[in-house]
């Protein structure tokens, strides 16, 4: 079984293919394959750095924080959540160990299993599905999260002896004005955000994690995304959403270390005294996902004046209506003829601005999506909103409450999917992965 011959080399910016990486690994060139466990273990930081230098479109899997949060946003997304079918805590841990080992391999451009898609016992299924076989690593990152239902069910059942470790910040999101949530697009015990520059690489990763979960967990819902709608690094330009406007100009960037520390990463003392032991979340973050359908056909019939007034920025340059360029700070006090504010009171920019929300900020990693049409001649398209925050209760919830109630843009939006997950810290650099005693994502929760 093989993928499109030569595809990896044909695309701009493509790196080494998985076949090339396998060859390098076999020769010891990238230092990824070792003895023990599943036959592979994460190398030392120096080995990973050497690997990253040799293969520029590879992100290290291990680290203090999970990759895929402040990592420069890739262009494609496959997001999925799973419901656990097991009642065994040991089964959950085994699944996380298997997922961690496979994720570490796939992010480095290797097959999910050490045998690969075209070898191993001839009468057994391969340990990798094979569709990414000839593709480059494509900067794949896999970011894992735990939903509130992993800790306690709606009726308060402690499924896996974890109820006392549910962080207070992982409280269920409230119902916001205008929510039109579809139960089949909400929640989930476990979630994985797969981001890559090649959609097939992201899909391959989620598919193989699902394969490994067979008998323990099943996909609850998933979402494909394309065209990132925010930048997470100062090295990236601001993209546009499906309304045609630049989106995420004021987003937090990885280079803003102090702000990221304050607004994204959970601290060791967070939640102290609120009930629930959240100490295992130090270095982690909380992921909010919202599937926001845009009523594009209505938007497309509105005037440019109305569109810009709703957003609070020009459609061309993205500059605030108070003047300047895209990166000019909006002057929310500026007025025009008759003392009318240049940036309307119900504009998105004003209502979402940190000064209107007690200084609260988020790190967004959203993507456009298009899921065909709805049978009524309308595109089912919009924004798959993803944001990482230190505490959803003080950052996302109050902001979304204001936007849902007062934002003029809400007339063109319908929230159809929702979820909140605790994204634990990363696997320690140099930790041994795979096998019955290998390190795994979220290990601190289960000790």
């Amino acid at each position: 079984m093989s993928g499109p011959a030569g595809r990896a080399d044909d695309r701009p910016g493509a790196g080494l293919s998985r076949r090339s990486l396998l060859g390098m690994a076999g020769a010891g060139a990238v230092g990824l394959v070792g003895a023990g466990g599943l036959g592979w273990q994460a190398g030392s930081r120096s080995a990973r750095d050497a690997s990253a230098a040799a293969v520029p479109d590879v992100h290290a899997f291990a680290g203090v924080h999970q990759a895929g949060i402040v990592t420069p946003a890739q262009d494609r997304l496959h997001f999925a959540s799973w419901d656990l079918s097991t009642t065994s805590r040991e089964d959950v841990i085994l699944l996380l160990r298997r997922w961690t080992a496979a994720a570490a391999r796939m992010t480095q451009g290797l097959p999910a299993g050490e045998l690969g898609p075209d070898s191993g016992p001839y009468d057994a299924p391969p340990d990798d599905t094979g569709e990414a076989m000839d593709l480059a690593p494509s900067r794949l990152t896999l970011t894992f999260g735990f939903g509130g239902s992993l800790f306690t069910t709606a009726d308060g059942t402690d499924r896996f002896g974890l109820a006392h470790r549910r962080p207070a910040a992982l409280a269920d999101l409230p119902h916001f004005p205008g929510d039109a949530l579809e139960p089949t697009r909400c929640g989930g015990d476990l979630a994985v955000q797969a981001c890559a520059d090649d959609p097939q690489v992201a899909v391959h990763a989620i598919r193989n994690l699902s394969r490994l979960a067979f008998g323990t967990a099943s996909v609850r819902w998933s979402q494909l995304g394309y065209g990132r709608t925010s930048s997470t690094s100062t090295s990236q330009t601001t993209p546009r959403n499906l309304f045609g406007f630049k989106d995420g100009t004021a987003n937090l960037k990885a280079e803003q270390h102090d702000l990221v520390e304050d607004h994204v990463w959970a601290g060791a003392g967070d939640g102290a005294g609120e009930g629930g032991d959240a100490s295992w979340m130090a270095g982690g973050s909380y992921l909010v996902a919202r599937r926001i359908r845009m009523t594009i056909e209505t938007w497309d019939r509105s005037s440019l004046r109305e569109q810009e007034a709703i957003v609070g920025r020009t459609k061309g340059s993205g500059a605030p209506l108070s003047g300047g360029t895209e990166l000019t700070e909006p002057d929310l006090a500026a007025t025009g003829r008759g003392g009318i504010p240049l940036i309307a009171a119900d504009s998105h920019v004003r209502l979402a601005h940190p000064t209107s929300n007690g200084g609260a900020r988020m790190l967004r990693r959203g993507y456009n999506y298009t899921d065909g049409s709805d049978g009524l001649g309308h595109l089912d398209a919009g924004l798959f909103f993803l944001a990482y925050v230190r505490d959803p209760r003080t950052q996302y919830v109050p902001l979304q409450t204001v936007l849902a109630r007062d934002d003029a843009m809400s007339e063109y939006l319908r929230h159809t999917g929702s979820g909140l997950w605790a994204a634990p810290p990363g696997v320690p650099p140099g930790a041994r992965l795979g096998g019955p005693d290998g390190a795994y994502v979220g290990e601190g929760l289960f000790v």
Side-chain angles (χ1 to χ4, degrees), residues 172-241:
D172 293 339
L173 295 177
H175 181 86
F176 297 104
D179 271 0
L181 301 180
E182 301 169 10
T184 55
R185 299 185 192 275
C186 295
D189 299 331
L190 306 171
V192 177
Q193 168 200 280
C195 296
D197 289 329
D198 187 323
Q200 191 154 318
V201 171
V203 170
H204 165 263
I206 293 296
R207 178 182 176 186
N208 277 274
L209 295 180
S210 296
R211 180 180 56 79
L212 290 168
F214 182 76
T216 304
S218 57
V219 172
R220 178 178 176 85
W221 62 290
S222 66
Q223 182 66 53
L224 294 172
Y226 64 92
R228 61 180 175 83
T229 59
S230 59
S231 304
T232 54
S233 170
T234 55
S235 65
Q236 297 179 305
T237 58
T238 307
R240 293 182 186 272
N241 58 31

Side-chain angles (χ1 to χ4, degrees), residues 281-342:
M281 272 294 290
S285 188
Y286 293 89
L287 167 62
V288 179
R290 302 281 286 183
R291 184 180 186 272
I292 307 174
R293 181 173 176 179
M294 296 173 167
T295 54
I296 289 175
E297 293 79 8
T298 307
W299 178 264
D300 291 346
R301 292 194 295 270
S302 61
S303 68
L304 178 59
R305 180 190 300 275
E306 182 179 358
Q307 291 182 3
E308 291 193 343
I310 289 171
V311 175
R313 293 183 179 276
T314 64
K315 194 166 189 175
S317 69
L321 295 185
S322 54
T325 63
E326 180 201 344
L327 299 180
T328 300
E329 186 68 15
D331 183 354
L332 302 178
T335 58
R337 185 179 303 172
I340 298 175
L342 293 175

